[in-house]
């Protein structure tokens, strides 16, 4: 199983809060997180959407009761998207500040992000984080995907005092924590990619001894080790095939047919 043939170099294009990847021929390259989202839908999102809408209705009951029915419906329909966008904006801001902090820069921290940033600083200090690569684009010409990794860094070894270990890390700020699919994400970034971009030049991806996810919250952080190896990379490739099948299925239904015109028998 492999993806589309890509023509190097692959570059990331930012647009608003999002971004996309394109090869030298202008063909869009699927991102690892997009592949996982399309090929392995999150069942928890169904409950989250229902609960978020219900919570909004309870919290804004008086306000909604004064609206016209159509306005009320629109407000309820948009509640989960407003919650999602707020979380995405927070995550983007924390990632941006975290990137600067890793490089030792001083930053001005918005009050609403102070807890997250303090937690991230604790992580940097307690593990003596020494960055190798931060917020880097990776590309897989073999499998036909791209992505943006968060951090490759040398950390203190928790099992051998005084020694260090190189980690491939993903940074998460979501309320829901760390899900197993992050291992697929890391497999795509650190094992399945052929190169990383540094100042628009492709370079080999530094080897990592371990992989993990850092869950950064306003009240602290946790570093979770992840199983990332050939099995997770193989599973990601299967997920890519499922994602492609889901996309292809849109073309499987043709236009409705008209009944044939019957020829009247000669009388």
């Amino acid at each position: 199983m492999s993806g589309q043939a890509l023509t190097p170099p692959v570059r990331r294009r930012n647009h608003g809060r999002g971004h996309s990847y394109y090869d030298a021929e202008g063909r869009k390259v699927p991102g690892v997180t997009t592949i996982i989202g399309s090929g392995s839908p999150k069942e928890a999102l169904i409950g989250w959407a229902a609960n978020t809408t219900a919570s909004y209705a309870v919290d804004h009951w008086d306000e909604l009761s004064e609206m016209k029915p159509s306005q009320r419906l629109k407000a309820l329909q948009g509640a989960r998207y407003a919650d999602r966008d707020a979380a995405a904006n927070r995550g983007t801001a924390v990632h941006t500040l975290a990137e600067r902090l890793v490089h030792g820069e001083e930053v001005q921290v918005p009050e609403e992000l102070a807890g997250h940033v303090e937690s991230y600083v604790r992580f940097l200090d307690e593990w003596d984080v020494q960055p190798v690569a931060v917020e880097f684009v990776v590309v897989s010409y073999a499998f036909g995907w791209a992505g943006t990794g968060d951090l490759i860094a040398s950390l203190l070894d928790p099992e051998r005092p005084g020694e260090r270990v190189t980690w491939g890390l993903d940074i998460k700020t979501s309320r829901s924590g760390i899900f197993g699919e992050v291992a697929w994400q890391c497999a795509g970034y650190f094992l399945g990619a052929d190169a990383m971009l540094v100042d628009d030049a492709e370079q080999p991806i530094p080897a990592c001894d371990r992989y993990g996810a850092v869950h950064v919250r306003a009240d602290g952080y946790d570093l979770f080790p992840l199983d990332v190896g050939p099995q997770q990379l193989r599973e990601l490739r299967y997920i890519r095939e499922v994602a492609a099948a889901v996309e292809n299925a849109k073309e499987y239904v043709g236009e409705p047919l008209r009944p044939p015109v019957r020829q009247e028998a000669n009388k």
Side-chain angles (χ1 to χ4, degrees):
M1 296 178 293
S2 62
Q4 64 180 349
L6 305 178
T7 302
V10 169
R11 295 290 183 262
R12 167 172 158 160
R13 298 181 190 173
N14 297 323
H15 42 82
R17 292 193 314 272
H19 56 267
S20 302
Y21 307 93
Y22 295 87
D23 74 352
E25 302 295 328
R27 291 171 294 198
K28 191 171 183 179
V29 182
V32 171
T33 55
T34 299
I35 290 170
I36 294 172
S38 299
S40 178
K42 302 178 180 66
E43 294 183 5
L45 288 180
I46 299 174
W48 164 82
N51 291 333
T52 300
T53 303
S55 296
Y56 181 89
V58 172
D59 292 340
H60 298 80
W61 194 270
D62 293 338
E63 178 185 340
L64 290 167
S65 65
E66 296 177 359
M67 295 180 180
K68 295 179 180 179
S70 58
Q71 295 174 329
R72 195 180 308 153
L73 176 62
K74 185 176 181 179
L76 291 171
Q77 288 175 331
R80 62 187 173 117
Y81 298 108
D83 182 80
R84 178 201 62 188
D85 292 345
N89 290 338
R90 181 183 65 246
T92 299
V94 171
H95 272 77
T96 300
L97 293 170
E99 179 180 2
R100 296 176 62 187
L101 287 168
V102 167
H103 288 301
E105 297 182 36
E106 293 186 2
V107 299
Q108 293 292 328
V109 181
E111 184 177 351
E112 65 273 13
L113 298 179
H116 287 81
V117 173
E118 289 173 4
S119 297
Y120 197 78
V121 170
R122 276 187 54 204
F123 162 66
L124 297 179
D125 290 342
E126 292 178 353
W127 290 86
D128 190 23
V129 176
Q130 298 179 8
V132 176
V134 183
E135 283 286 322
F136 50 93
V137 173
V138 300
V139 57
S140 171
Y141 294 107
F143 303 132
W145 63 56
T148 301
D150 287 337
L151 180 64
I152 299 176
S154 171
L155 276 63
L156 293 174
D157 191 329
E159 300 169 354
R160 296 174 296 175
E163 299 193 27
R164 306 188 66 85
V165 177
T166 300
W167 286 72
L169 296 168
D170 196 74
I171 313 300
K172 298 296 185 187
T173 59
S174 61
R175 292 188 296 265
S176 53
I178 307 300
F179 292 95
E181 66 184 44
V182 182
W184 294 330
Q185 190 176 337
C186 288
Y189 292 163
F190 301 118
L191 298 184
D194 303 307
M196 63 186 293
L197 301 183
V198 178
D199 296 327
D200 284 339
E202 292 188 352
Q203 296 184 9
I205 299 173
C208 298
D209 303 306
R210 301 188 68 177
Y211 304 93
V214 184
H215 185 210
V216 180
R217 309 176 308 277
D219 64 348
Y221 78 90
D222 289 298
L223 170 57
F224 294 93
L226 298 173
D227 289 333
V228 177
Q231 176 179 333
Q232 288 72 33
L233 180 58
R234 183 172 62 252
E235 291 169 351
L236 176 60
R237 295 177 65 190
Y238 282 122
I239 290 168
R240 191 191 197 290
E241 294 300 309
V242 172
V246 171
E247 183 65 24
N248 292 340
K250 298 175 182 178
E251 307 298 327
Y252 291 166
V253 180
E255 295 295 324
L257 300 176
R258 295 182 178 182
V261 177
R262 296 185 180 183
Q263 299 292 330
E264 292 291 338
N266 293 329
K267 295 184 180 179

